[in-house]
Amino acid sequence: MSRNAPDFEDYLRTIAEFTEHELIPSEPEMVAAGEVPERLVRRMAELGLFGISIPPGYGGLGWTMEQQVLLTLEFTRASCVYRSRFSTVIGLCSQAILDHGTEEQRREMLPDMAAGRQVTSFALSEPEAGSDATNVQTTARRTGDGWVLDGSKRYITNAHWADTLLVFARTDDAEVSAFLVDRTAPGVSTRIPDLMNGHAEGPVGEIDLDSVVVAQNRLLGGVPGTGIAAAMRGINHARLHVAATCVGQATRMLEEATRHVQERHQFGAPLSELGVVQAQLGRCYSEMEAGRALTLDAARAFDAGNIPRHRISAAKLYCSEMVGRVADQCVQLLGGKGIVGPHPVPRMWRDVRALRIYEGASAIHERNLGRAMTRSVAADGVLPDSYRVR
C-alpha cells in the first residue's frame, strides 16, 4: 500500500475485511504452527499496519489517536497475538523515537519501521524493574566513543525476533537513558520461555546484555537522562491501544458466545431464550460499550493536544478488567466447549488474562489514580483530567 494516506473510512473498511477474511480464518493455522504465519506478517506490512501511528513524513499513515483506536477495535476482533507482532512498532518504540530521538534517528528508523522492515522491541522490564520501572539495574558505562551495556531484561514483547532493541539502562550519572541496540550485536542474546499462559503463538522474551558496545549516536536523543520520559511517552500511547484491544477482544468473544447460545438447544429451546443467559449477555454488552466509550473519549482528548494520562490509565484499567469478566462469562456460556476442544473463546480467555498485567498491572493503576485524585483535589479542588469547567 502507498504511504500516501488513503481515505480513512476506506482504510478502516479494508482492515475490517482483512480481519474477517484473513486473520480470523487463519487462527487455527497459527495455533497449529505455534506462531503467526509469515505470510500474514507480510500482509500486515503491505496494508500499512506497522505505520498507522507514524507520520507521513516518515513513511507512515499518520492516523490520529482516535483513528488508531477505531482500527484497533477492528483488527483485535481477531487473536490479539496478531497485534503483538506490530504493537511495539506503532506504540512504545515509534512514539519514544518521535518525541525523544534525534532527527537523524527518526530518519533512519521510522520509515523502515512503518514499512514493516524494521521490527523494534521495547526493553524496559527487568527482574527488579517491573511495576517500578524506575528501578532499572541494567547499566551503560561511558567509553571514549560510546557506551558499554550490561544487564538483563525479561517479559519483552518481540524480543526474540526484533531487529532493534530500545534498551533502557542506567548511565554513569545514575539517570535512566535509552539506547538503540542491534539485536544481533556481539554480547546480545535472547530467548523465549518454554511455557506461556496465553499468547503462546507470540511469546515474550528475555534479553541478556554482556559488555555490548553501543556507539554514541545510538543514545536516544543524543543526551543521557531522558529514558523515563521517553518510556512514558510510548507507554501512554500503548495503554490506549491495550484498552482498545480489550474492547476488540470482548466484541469477538461476545459474538461467538451469542452465536453459540442461539444454536445450542436445551430443554426444547435455544439457550438464548433463557432469562439468565440474556442477563449475562446484556451485562457483558453494557460493560463492553462503557469501555469503548471511555477509550474513544481518552483518544479524542489525546488528539486535542494534552495527553490525558489519568484518563488513559483509567481506560486501560477498566477495559482490561472488563474483558476478563466478559471472557469468563463467555466461557461459562459455552459450557463444555469452553473447556474442551478448539473453540476460539477459551483461547482468547487465556490470552486476555495478560492484558491486566501489560502496560501496568491493575493494582498499580488503581494506586496511581487514587494518589492523583487526592493530590488534584487538594491542589485544585477537582479530579485529575477533569471535565469540569474551571
Side-chain angles (χ1 to χ4, degrees):
M1 171 172 289
S2 169
R3 290 304 181 262
N4 294 321
D7 174 78
F8 178 72
E9 293 302 323
D10 288 343
Y11 185 70
L12 182 63
R13 192 174 301 108
T14 295
I15 297 305
E17 291 173 355
F18 173 58
T19 301
E20 193 68 37
H21 301 303
E22 296 185 58
L23 292 182
I24 290 175
S26 296
E27 287 174 350
E29 177 189 351
M30 178 185 71
V31 171
E35 61 184 7
V36 178
E38 190 58 34
R39 62 179 175 78
L40 289 178
V41 178
R42 289 195 300 270
R43 283 286 288 142
M44 293 173 198
E46 290 168 3
L47 290 169
L49 285 175
F50 283 82
I52 62 173
S53 66
I54 296 173
Y58 296 107
L61 293 171
W63 300 124
T64 67
M65 180 58 85
E66 181 180 3
Q67 291 169 329
Q68 292 171 47
V69 163
L70 290 170
L71 288 165
T72 302
L73 294 173
E74 284 300 330
F75 59 68
T76 58
R77 288 187 299 108
S79 169
C80 58
V81 173
Y82 291 127
R83 170 192 170 272
S84 71
R85 289 304 302 265
F86 57 90
S87 64
T88 51
V89 171
I90 63 175
L92 293 165
C93 293
S94 66
Q95 302 310 297
I97 294 169
L98 270 170
D99 276 19
H100 294 274
T102 65
E103 182 60 18
E104 179 185 5
Q105 289 166 347
R106 290 192 285 266
R107 291 291 173 192
E108 175 199 346
M109 296 290 298
L110 294 174
D112 281 347
M113 291 168 66
R117 295 188 297 265
Q118 176 83 237
V119 175
T120 50
S121 186
F122 190 81
L124 176 61
S125 296
E126 299 180 0
E128 301 303 325
S131 296
D132 182 7
T134 62
N135 193 32
V136 168
Q137 301 297 306
T138 295
T139 61
R141 176 172 51 84
R142 193 188 295 268
T143 63
D145 56 356
W147 305 84
V148 175
L149 274 58
D150 288 281
S152 61
K153 303 288 181 178
R154 69 174 180 179
Y155 308 143
I156 308 300
T157 300
N158 289 331
H160 199 55
W161 41 78
D163 300 293
T164 301
L165 308 171
L166 184 60
V167 176
F168 294 84
R170 197 167 295 280
T171 45
D172 299 333
D173 56 5
E175 296 287 342
V176 176
S177 302
F179 298 85
L180 297 164
V181 180
D182 187 338
R183 187 183 60 82
T184 62
V188 178
S189 59
T190 64
R191 59 190 176 278
I192 54 178
D194 295 327
L195 183 64
M196 289 279 294
N197 182 18
H199 292 256
E201 301 80 25
V204 297
E206 297 190 6
I207 304 168
D208 288 323
L209 305 156
D210 184 9
S211 298
V212 178
V213 176
V214 179
Q216 176 61 33
N217 66 0
R218 311 312 285 166
L219 171 65
L220 189 68
V223 293
T226 62
I228 294 301
M232 290 311 301
R233 175 62 183 89
I235 287 170
N236 277 309
H237 191 282
R239 282 173 176 166
L240 259 183
H241 279 228
V242 170
T245 297
C246 294
V247 178
Q249 294 284 278
T251 301
R252 168 77 179 290
M253 287 187 287
L254 279 173
E255 289 172 348
E256 295 281 0
T258 302
R259 191 174 298 115
H260 171 79
V261 298
Q262 289 174 319
E263 296 171 352
R264 174 69 168 163
H265 285 65
Q266 291 288 280
F267 308 108
L271 287 176
S272 58
E273 292 186 10
L274 294 175
V276 66
V277 169
Q278 294 168 356
Q280 284 177 282
L281 291 173
R283 184 170 58 251
C284 289
Y285 180 82
S286 299
E287 292 195 29
M288 178 192 70
E289 287 301 312
R292 187 190 310 274
L294 176 57
T295 302
L296 283 167
D297 179 82
R300 293 179 189 120
F302 189 108
D303 288 332
N306 293 318
I307 298 177
R309 59 190 182 92
H310 299 108
R311 213 177 298 169
I312 289 171
S313 176
K316 192 276 173 182
L317 169 64
Y318 176 82
C319 290
S320 61
E321 292 289 333
M322 173 276 294
V323 75
R325 292 190 294 269
V326 168
D328 195 64
Q329 289 298 314
C330 288
V331 168
Q332 192 71 21
L333 287 169
L334 260 66
K337 281 190 175 181
I339 303 298
V340 179
H343 198 281
V345 164
R347 168 172 47 80
M348 297 175 77
W349 174 56
R350 293 190 297 273
D351 288 342
V352 301
R353 182 60 184 87
L355 301 177
R356 283 183 261 174
I357 298 171
Y358 287 179
E359 316 307 343
S362 292
I364 299 300
H365 284 285
E366 290 172 341
R367 184 201 66 174
N368 290 349
L369 286 170
R371 286 180 173 179
M373 290 166 66
T374 55
R375 290 171 182 165
S376 184
V377 170
D380 303 320
V382 297
L383 297 174
D385 295 339
S386 178
Y387 288 97
R388 285 183 53 191
V389 176
R390 286 184 273 180

